[in-house]
Amino acid sequence: MGKRVAVVLAGCGVFDGSEIHEASAVLVHLSRGGAEVKIFAPNIEQRDVVNHLKGSPAEEKRNVLVESARLARGNIQDLAELKASEFDAVIFPGGFGVAKNLCSWAVDGKNCTVNEHVNSTLQAFHSAKKPIGLCCISPVLAAKVFPGCEVTVGQDKNVDGRFPDAETASAIAELGCKHICKNVNESHVDKANKIVTTCAFMCKAPLHEIFDGIGTMVQEVLKLA
């Protein structure tokens, strides 16, 4: 039997939802690992909508669950319906939607609040000692919900201009968590908390390196499961 893994999305599109390449990479690596996957997203309005062609705000409203259904090919459920008892692990791809829709990090930084269903999902898997995988900006969810945990968002300095959001590592440390510096093709395993993280698009890197890094995260999650 393959591992049962829940994947939680935050919309569709890097600037206001889930990063599409990351979500796809997670699903491909889970498929390769023989996992049985179900996809979820919160049934809430997006914080904002971005015109991805122009990179500017659009005057419209969109729903996170409806937009995430694009990535899930329509096969998706409301996050409120997710039961940790039915799964062996949960994974959160990244994208600005995580920092806008799943929590308020984009506006409030380390003082952010986390969506109630996202928080309860994380707490349920953690309490059951089931692994949690996160990539790109989504490790901040663990940093906010689990003080003292270990995560990576890449490097804590903008090495060679490849890590423009390196200050995120400092904010994670200010939350009482330990940031572990890793390269884009690596992941970090917090064995005590069963939290696996990788930086993905927090690093300016070729797509195949990001894909491979997400692969290491998925493999470690499946091992822990």
Side-chain angles (χ1 to χ4, degrees):
M1 283 284 291
K3 300 301 181 182
R4 301 164 300 167
V5 181
V7 174
V8 181
L9 300 180
C12 181
V14 59
F15 298 124
D16 57 13
S18 287
E19 209 297 319
I20 293 171
H21 298 292
E22 291 180 16
S24 178
V26 166
L27 295 172
V28 169
H29 286 296
L30 284 171
S31 175
R32 184 170 286 150
E36 177 186 336
V37 177
K38 288 190 178 179
I39 304 173
F40 298 84
N43 186 9
I44 57 174
E45 188 176 299
Q46 289 184 189
R47 177 175 288 274
D48 62 18
V49 177
V50 175
N51 181 323
H52 281 61
L53 179 61
K54 297 180 179 178
S56 58
E59 294 298 323
E60 58 181 284
K61 296 182 184 297
R62 296 192 184 186
N63 177 280
V64 174
L65 178 58
V66 172
E67 290 301 294
S68 298
R70 294 174 180 271
L71 286 169
R73 297 172 60 85
N75 188 10
I76 194 168
Q77 292 174 260
D78 187 335
L79 182 59
E81 300 173 6
L82 194 163
K83 296 181 177 63
S85 60
E86 297 177 354
F87 295 91
D88 300 302
V90 64
I91 294 179
F92 290 76
F96 280 101
V98 172
K100 292 179 175 181
N101 304 324
L102 303 192
C103 69
S104 63
W105 187 278
V107 176
D108 303 318
K110 62 184 177 63
N111 298 315
C112 71
T113 55
V114 178
N115 170 275
E116 61 174 317
H117 295 303
V118 172
N119 183 68
S120 62
T121 295
L122 290 167
Q123 295 282 10
F125 277 85
H126 188 257
S127 296
K129 294 181 168 51
K130 294 179 177 181
I132 298 167
L134 309 116
C135 64
C136 193
I137 191 62
S138 64
V140 302
L141 296 172
K144 185 66 180 181
V145 176
F146 307 118
C149 72
E150 297 176 357
V151 299
T152 188
V153 289
Q155 300 291 323
D156 56 11
K157 294 181 178 61
N158 190 8
V159 181
D160 298 326
R162 298 176 75 225
F163 294 89
D165 300 305
E167 71 277 2
T168 304
S170 299
I172 286 170
E174 289 175 17
L175 285 170
C177 298
K178 186 174 183 179
H179 180 267
I180 309 297
C181 291
K182 290 285 184 177
N183 292 321
V184 66
N185 60 345
E186 299 176 312
S187 56
H188 176 69
V189 182
D190 177 347
K191 293 181 180 178
N193 290 293
K194 290 194 172 182
I195 295 171
V196 189
T197 51
T198 189
C199 69
F201 278 101
M202 294 293 276
C203 177
K204 290 184 176 180
L207 183 57
H208 70 279
E209 292 184 13
I210 291 163
F211 183 88
D212 291 346
I214 291 172
T216 68
M217 180 266 285
V218 170
Q219 289 166 18
E220 293 296 340
V221 166
L222 293 177
K223 284 180 191 174
L224 289 173

